[in-house]
Amino acid sequence: MTLFDLSLNEIHNRLHAGDLSVTDLVNQAFQTINERDEQIQAYLTLDEEGALRQAKAMDERLSSGGERGLLFGLPVGVKDNMVTEGLRTTCASQFLRNYDPIYDATAVEKLRTADSVIVGKLNMDEFAMGGSNENSSFKPVRNPWNLDYVPGGSSGGSAAAVAAGEAYFTLGSDTGGSIRQPASYCGVVGLKPTYGLVSRYGLVAFASSLDQIGPITKNVEDSAYVMQAIAGYDAKDSTSAKVDIPDYISSLTGDVKGLKIAVPSEYIGEGVDPAIKDAIMSSLQVLEGLGAEWEEVSLPYTEYAVATYYILASSEASSNLARFDGVRYGVRADKPANLLELYHRSRSEGFGPEVKRRIMLGTYALSSGYYDAYYLKAQKVRTLIKQDFDNVFAKYDVIIGPAAPTTAFKLGSQVDDPLTMYLNDILTIPVSLAGVPAISVPCGFVEGMPVGMQIIGKAFDEQTVLRVAHAFEQHTDFHKQRPQL
């Protein structure tokens, strides 16, 4: 048992009693990283000196009776597509291998305000494009439950670090499932908030109408604490929503009596591993035993979600990544003959194959003569997908299904088959297109690998999502199981 197996409240009580110091917690993080990360490869950049310096200052404040933030003393890792002042931010791309930001992303700033300690930046698929973390230009991340398997992506480093005990919690980003799918594969809790609830300022953009920052934690209660710290309006983000932030922590009542659950037939039908379906059905029985009711429903436009997503996300990526030109920041081609060669060589040398593939797909979809046939049509289908959710939520409180159609797959088994890789996100993408919140919580194991249950809620109703997830967690022990490294 490590210090990170303690609950947040237990840690804070021990800190207050003087039985534990912030330096102890930070040392625990780096000790585990030193022991395990050569295998896991979750981190790209570490800041041991800065973290210990911050821990020492916090210990002095603790001894003098100073104020403590909500996440006081907790060592955290941040996905490497969120800028961190003075701490290298690469997006796991050769293009940004030398980029040291001069400011913090708003979510990172809020973590610092809540008194957490950032220990390092986490590996990911390059520019958040991928579902296995094999698209990192530095090194692939491995799943702590079986090192021959992927951790999921693009927030694979964020999920693997929590599963391996290398951080108390982490931040990930979710565009089409990049928090929930790796959380499912690694047996941890991953929450994608409602679009606009957490500021995107300082998050390196992939697809601006879909990207959202969220927590990856070892249990639901920790997820509620992190959301309490990072949610809220930000004037620096034009997509930030002006909504009241409720008390997420007090919503964890364990009461789901009378709750109405919808189970989409498309989420438990063809293409979903029968063993995954069995785990979801068993989980529904747990909730049913707590007084909830469930019925099977249909989300008919689900079958179009993957095609819609990859047109829209790639189109936005082709626009967002145009800023990486070798002129302003990032790598620059050596001794180009002219400006066009500077652009061409910088982008050819800086971007990996998956990023190039999506830029080309998006540029094609936005080009003259194809815009109406592809991009505009995809926007219309996105509206239909959102209406699917609206229709179900008119009658039900939450929607439940698997977070992924299978458990984690072997490293290298799908890397040469982009279409199969894209289909791994078929159960998370519709949620992202609709902009509603969803959480993945551990709900079983298949052949030793974790299974995640996805709980989807109404827009800005994270309270209900967290309440249902917490109630399920209190009557199961899947979240307590740890990989044997």
Side-chain angles (χ1 to χ4, degrees):
M1 183 173 181
T2 73
L3 293 174
F4 291 178
D5 288 315
L6 299 173
S7 72
L8 188 148
N9 285 326
E10 286 173 328
I11 285 177
H12 281 179
N13 289 338
R14 290 197 184 189
L15 286 169
H16 186 72
D19 299 332
L20 185 64
S21 69
V22 179
T23 300
D24 292 334
L25 291 168
V26 172
N27 281 332
Q28 172 77 78
F30 284 106
Q31 179 186 334
T32 308
I33 290 168
N34 290 334
E35 290 172 355
R36 299 179 176 178
D37 206 56
E38 189 174 339
Q39 296 175 294
I40 306 297
Q41 304 185 133
Y43 282 92
L44 291 175
T45 306
L46 293 170
D47 185 23
E48 187 167 3
E49 184 181 336
L52 287 169
R53 184 170 58 246
Q54 189 179 351
K56 183 180 177 184
M58 285 185 176
D59 286 333
E60 289 172 358
R61 195 191 332 159
L62 193 63
S63 63
S64 64
E67 289 187 10
R68 295 180 298 166
L70 190 64
L71 306 173
F72 185 86
L74 299 180
V76 307
V78 175
K79 188 176 179 179
D80 206 25
N81 60 347
M82 300 171 212
V83 297
T84 42
E85 184 178 359
L87 186 58
R88 184 150 294 180
T89 299
T90 70
C91 291
S93 175
Q94 293 301 313
F95 214 120
L96 291 175
R97 64 178 181 265
N98 62 355
Y99 177 53
D100 297 317
I102 58 173
Y103 69 100
D104 279 332
T106 296
V108 172
E109 190 179 291
K110 289 192 171 191
L111 285 185
R112 296 195 197 278
T113 301
D115 286 332
S116 58
V117 182
I118 295 171
V119 297
K121 304 300 289 294
L122 291 156
N123 205 349
M124 56 184 282
D125 284 298
E126 184 180 2
F127 283 102
M129 298 180 191
S132 67
N133 227 134
E134 293 169 288
N135 291 330
S136 168
S137 74
F138 297 102
K139 52 190 177 182
V141 182
R142 296 176 180 272
N143 193 313
W145 290 91
N146 187 324
L147 298 175
D148 293 329
Y149 286 71
V150 302
S154 61
S155 305
S158 299
V162 175
E166 297 181 346
Y168 191 82
F169 72 87
T170 61
L171 288 188
S173 69
D174 192 309
T175 306
S178 290
I179 287 174
R180 291 159 287 155
Q181 184 245 38
S184 174
Y185 283 2
C186 291
V188 292
V189 175
L191 172 64
K192 183 205 86 74
T194 306
Y195 182 79
L197 183 61
V198 177
S199 172
R200 292 189 304 110
Y201 180 75
L203 173 69
V204 179
F206 161 19
S208 302
S209 74
L210 295 157
D211 298 340
Q212 191 65 164
I213 294 170
I216 296 180
T217 59
K218 63 184 189 298
N219 59 52
V220 175
E221 183 181 42
D222 288 353
S223 189
Y225 271 95
V226 180
M227 279 303 300
Q228 204 71 56
I230 66 174
Y233 174 71
D234 179 15
K236 291 178 284 190
D237 174 9
S238 63
T239 61
S240 183
K242 285 187 177 180
V243 293
D244 293 332
I245 304 302
D247 187 339
Y248 297 119
I249 300 158
S250 67
S251 68
L252 307 180
T253 61
D255 180 19
V256 292
K257 195 169 290 184
L259 185 90
K260 294 187 175 179
I261 300 169
V263 180
S265 55
E266 294 81 3
Y267 285 30
I268 53 173
E270 187 180 353
V272 176
D273 185 328
I276 300 277
K277 178 181 176 180
D278 290 345
I280 297 301
M281 290 303 173
S282 297
S283 301
L284 288 168
Q285 289 177 1
V286 172
L287 292 169
E288 204 172 23
L290 297 173
E293 307 165 8
W294 69 271
E295 291 179 351
E296 199 168 312
V297 299
S298 178
L299 295 173
Y301 287 99
T302 297
E303 64 177 302
Y304 305 109
V306 172
T308 299
Y309 170 82
Y310 278 99
I311 289 172
L312 295 179
S314 297
S315 297
E316 293 183 28
S318 75
S319 176
N320 279 324
L321 270 63
R323 72 192 70 177
F324 299 99
D325 53 14
V327 176
R328 286 157 290 194
Y329 47 76
V331 300
R332 178 188 291 243
D334 189 38
K335 297 179 181 178
N338 52 51
L339 186 62
L340 284 179
E341 187 178 317
L342 169 66
Y343 293 158
H344 174 74
R345 284 180 47 206
S346 295
R347 292 165 72 82
S348 295
E349 295 165 14
F351 290 140
E354 181 62 28
V355 176
K356 292 174 183 174
R357 183 183 292 119
R358 298 202 195 190
I359 289 173
M360 291 178 70
L361 175 61
T363 303
Y364 178 82
L366 291 174
S367 61
S368 178
Y370 297 100
Y371 179 91
D372 288 351
Y374 294 103
Y375 183 77
L376 189 61
K377 188 170 287 186
Q379 288 285 27
K380 291 177 178 178
V381 177
R382 181 180 188 173
T383 300
L384 295 174
I385 290 168
K386 184 181 182 303
Q387 287 174 357
D388 270 355
F389 283 93
D390 291 342
N391 292 337
V392 170
F393 282 131
K395 186 177 177 183
Y396 299 91
D397 299 305
V398 294
I399 297 169
I400 285 181
T406 66
T407 55
F409 47 90
K410 279 195 169 184
L411 283 154
S413 64
Q414 297 182 14
V415 73
D416 295 322
D417 187 356
L419 186 57
T420 299
M421 188 80 80
Y422 294 168
L423 289 171
N424 288 315
D425 293 333
I426 194 167
L427 302 177
T428 54
I429 279 173
V431 180
S432 297
L433 291 169
V436 294
I439 195 169
S440 175
V441 293
C443 72
F445 291 85
V446 174
E447 296 181 0
M449 299 303 288
V451 177
M453 175 172 67
Q454 183 175 206
I455 302 168
I456 307 162
K458 301 172 185 176
F460 301 107
D461 191 16
E462 276 76 4
Q463 281 182 294
T464 300
V465 170
L466 288 164
R467 176 165 58 89
V468 177
H470 183 256
F472 173 77
E473 196 179 72
Q474 296 307 296
H475 291 83
T476 57
D477 64 357
F478 302 115
H479 66 288
K480 295 178 182 177
Q481 299 188 41
R482 301 282 181 265
Q484 300 301 308
L485 286 160

